[in-house]
């Protein structure tokens, strides 16, 4: 059950609201900013004690919502008219320094049957750790409040984007994809030492590794799915792989049909930008029935390999023909090992520009082109 909208501004004894942000589309809750200092006239009545919430539990966690419940003594239960929820983001050293600063958030709601739903992309982001505590309150005849002490603080982490949210990203990607261009192969750039290590320690086969945390903050592929990174976007003037590279001077090239064919499935993984005009799209290619394929079936929207606006494999005169979207930078990640004998090696002759690297790069949370209305 959703919590009804509270119509009054108020102050909490240990987390007073300075200002209530009105018309917040949460169906349930209003949002307040507070500085943690109790004003001299708080509007809170220090009256008989209210029961302190005990054994708080979090359930039904999504990327932008959760349910919370708690236990209270039954003798004063009828006096509870409201509850205050103190929600705070747990910062860590990997937090996006460019993301809008998160502030402590006091959520206010009328008392409803538990569990109570808290929902709002204004203050909840996917795959993010939060702390939460609750407090019961009783509205008095003079509009003062009697309040309980705060409950114990508990921690939880919001979920990844669901298929629904990724499909919204996919629809945005389709809008900006542009015309389809023909291409014939994928490439992967790395340092000489990387390929030497593959030959010596992995029998000539590049091994999938866990994808880094670059891109959007909530896709299930980040830091969970093991893949090998490839590109297919060529230089506009030559139609060949770019010669500049932040990843290394050596380039492995492989025919498109070796990775992308009717024996593989295609999935949408992410859409993001990094404070620039151009956008990146991540697609996942997984051999049918492989562990990577099973993961993607559960978590990602699947694309029709023959008919989509980003990357296609069609048949013409008995030959496989490949096209990719012109107006996005396409990143293709493959979920199985790839033997170096399936392709050829070449050397990049351009600059080794580390500024071009997107390793662990964070998405611009303010871009209207690639952000959706949940999480950032």
């Amino acid at each position: 059950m959703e919590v009804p909208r509270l119509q009054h501004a108020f102050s909490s004894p240990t987390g007073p609201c300075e200002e209530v942000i009105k018309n917040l589309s949460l169906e349930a809750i209003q949002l307040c900013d507070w500085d943690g200092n109790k004003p001299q006239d708080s509007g809170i009545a220090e009256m008989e004690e209210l029961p302190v919430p005990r054994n708080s539990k979090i359930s039904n966690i999504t990327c932008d919502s959760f349910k919370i419940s708690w236990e209270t003594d039954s003798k004063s239960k009828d006096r509870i008219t409201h509850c205050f929820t103190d929600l705070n983001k747990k910062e860590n050293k990997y937090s996006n320094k460019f993301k809008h600063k998160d502030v402590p958030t006091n959520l206010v709601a009328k008392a409803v049957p538990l569990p109570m739903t808290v929902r709002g992309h204004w203050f909840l982001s996917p795959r993010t750790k939060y702390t939460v505590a609750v407090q019961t309150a009783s509205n008095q005849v003079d509009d003062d409040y009697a309040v309980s002490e705060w409950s114990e603080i508990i921690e939880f982490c919001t979920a990844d984007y669901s298929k629904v949210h990724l499909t919204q990203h996919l629809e945005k990607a389709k809008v900006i994809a542009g015309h389809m261009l023909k291409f014939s192969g994928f490439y992967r750039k790395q340092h000489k030492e990387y390929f030497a290590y593959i030959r010596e320690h992995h029998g000539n086969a590049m091994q999938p590794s866990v994808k880094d945390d670059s891109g959007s903050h909530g896709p299930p592929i980040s830091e969970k799915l093991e893949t090998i990174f490839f590109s297919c976007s060529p230089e506009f003037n030559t139609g060949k792989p770019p010669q500049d590279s932040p990843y290394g001077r050596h380039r492995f090239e492989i025919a498109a049909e070796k990775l992308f064919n009717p024996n593989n499935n295609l999935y949408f993984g992410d859409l993001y930008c990094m404070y620039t005009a151009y956008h990146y799209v991540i697609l996942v290619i997984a051999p049918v029935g492989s562990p990577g394929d099973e993961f993607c079936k559960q978590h990602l929207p699947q694309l029709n390999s023959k008919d989509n606006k980003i990357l296609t494999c069609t048949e013409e005169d008995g030959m496989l023909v490949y096209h990719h979207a012109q107006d996005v930078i396409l990143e293709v990640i493959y979920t199985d090992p790839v033997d170096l004998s399936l392709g050829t090696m070449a050397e990049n002759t351009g600059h080794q520009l580390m500024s071009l690297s997107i390793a662990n790069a964070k998405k611009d949370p303010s871009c209207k082109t690639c952000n959706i209305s949940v999480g950032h």
Side-chain angles (χ1 to χ4, degrees):
M1 179 175 181
E2 302 288 344
V3 252
R5 187 181 299 277
L6 179 62
Q7 301 298 326
H8 307 289
F10 71 96
S11 295
S12 159
T14 56
C17 293
E18 301 271 338
E19 177 182 1
V20 175
I21 300 176
K22 297 181 179 180
N23 300 320
L24 187 61
S25 58
L26 307 180
E27 305 175 7
I29 297 171
Q30 285 191 316
L31 175 66
C32 304
D33 294 340
W34 58 287
D35 59 10
N37 297 316
K38 179 179 177 181
Q40 291 183 353
D41 183 11
S42 66
I44 299 288
E46 300 292 346
M47 303 182 69
E48 60 180 297
E49 291 185 357
L50 284 170
V52 179
R54 294 178 288 102
N55 299 325
S56 301
K57 294 181 180 180
I58 301 293
S59 61
N60 297 83
I61 300 172
T62 71
C63 68
D64 69 338
S65 69
F66 64 92
K67 290 186 177 182
I68 184 169
S69 61
W70 58 85
E71 299 174 2
T72 54
D73 294 332
S74 57
K75 62 181 181 180
S76 301
K77 215 168 187 178
D78 293 340
R79 294 180 49 234
I80 300 173
T81 61
H82 295 79
C83 61
F84 305 161
T85 305
D86 181 25
L87 180 69
N88 293 279
K89 179 180 177 182
K90 289 193 68 178
E91 295 290 347
N92 61 66
K93 63 180 180 179
Y94 300 110
S95 296
N96 183 0
K97 68 176 67 177
F98 298 105
K99 189 178 187 297
H100 299 308
K101 182 174 177 58
D102 290 277
V103 296
T105 301
N106 220 22
L107 306 175
V108 188
K110 289 183 178 179
V112 295
L114 300 178
M116 179 181 72
T117 298
V118 179
R119 174 181 289 115
H121 70 272
W122 290 102
F123 50 84
L124 286 173
S125 295
R127 197 187 287 190
T128 303
K129 292 182 179 180
Y130 293 90
T131 61
V132 63
V134 291
Q135 182 182 51
T136 57
S138 177
N139 195 1
Q140 308 301 300
V141 292
D142 57 357
D143 281 337
D144 281 348
Y145 285 87
V147 296
S148 73
E149 295 181 3
W150 287 101
S151 70
E152 73 275 17
I153 296 173
I154 57 175
E155 299 181 5
F156 71 99
C157 183
T158 48
D160 297 335
Y161 285 137
S162 68
K163 280 187 179 181
V164 172
H165 303 125
L166 289 173
T167 299
Q168 293 176 26
H169 279 98
L170 172 59
E171 293 304 315
K172 284 179 169 284
K174 292 178 181 178
V175 172
I176 62 173
H179 297 293
M180 300 290 282
L181 297 179
K182 185 178 289 188
F183 77 103
S184 59
F186 299 102
Y187 58 88
R188 173 173 172 78
K189 299 178 180 180
Q190 276 289 351
H191 295 284
K192 178 177 64 175
E193 292 77 13
Y194 166 82
F195 292 108
Y197 184 87
I198 293 300
R199 294 185 183 97
E200 181 178 355
H201 297 281
H202 293 293
N204 216 45
M206 293 185 290
Q207 300 297 311
S209 58
V210 175
K211 183 191 172 298
D212 65 16
D213 197 28
S214 60
S216 300
H217 196 55
I221 58 175
S222 295
E223 299 183 324
K224 291 185 178 179
L225 182 63
E226 293 188 345
T227 63
I228 304 174
F229 175 93
F230 289 92
S231 299
C232 68
S233 300
E235 291 181 320
F236 291 110
N237 56 337
T238 67
K240 297 180 179 180
Q243 293 299 309
D244 294 337
S245 171
Y247 304 109
R249 189 169 292 279
H250 292 259
R251 183 176 70 250
F252 172 74
E253 298 181 11
I254 185 170
E257 64 184 29
K258 299 291 186 180
L259 302 183
F260 189 26
N261 55 60
N263 295 321
N264 296 287
N265 285 326
L266 182 67
Y267 299 90
F268 175 81
D270 195 12
L271 166 68
Y272 68 99
C273 70
M274 296 180 296
Y275 306 87
T276 57
Y278 49 87
H279 284 79
Y280 294 82
V281 171
I282 300 179
L283 298 184
V284 184
I285 297 177
V288 174
S290 67
D293 188 41
E294 294 303 315
F295 177 93
C296 293
K297 280 183 179 179
Q298 183 177 353
H299 298 286
L300 307 179
Q302 185 170 352
L303 302 180
N304 183 339
S305 298
K306 298 179 180 180
D307 184 17
N308 66 79
K309 294 183 179 296
I310 303 172
L311 181 70
T312 60
C313 170
T314 57
E315 188 172 338
E316 296 180 10
D317 299 325
M319 302 288 291
L320 294 179
V321 179
Y322 297 89
H323 292 83
H324 72 85
Q326 175 182 4
D327 293 343
V328 295
I329 299 176
L330 185 58
E331 301 171 345
V332 176
I333 53 180
Y334 189 74
T335 63
D336 270 21
V338 176
D339 199 292
L340 294 177
S341 64
L342 297 176
T344 59
M345 298 298 302
E347 187 171 340
N348 302 311
T349 58
H351 300 288
Q352 307 301 294
L353 301 175
M354 293 308 297
S355 61
L356 297 178
S357 174
I358 57 172
N360 291 306
K362 302 301 182 183
K363 180 177 184 176
D364 177 2
S366 64
C367 178
K368 296 182 179 180
T369 301
C370 60
N371 281 291
I372 59 175
S373 61
V374 290
H376 289 130

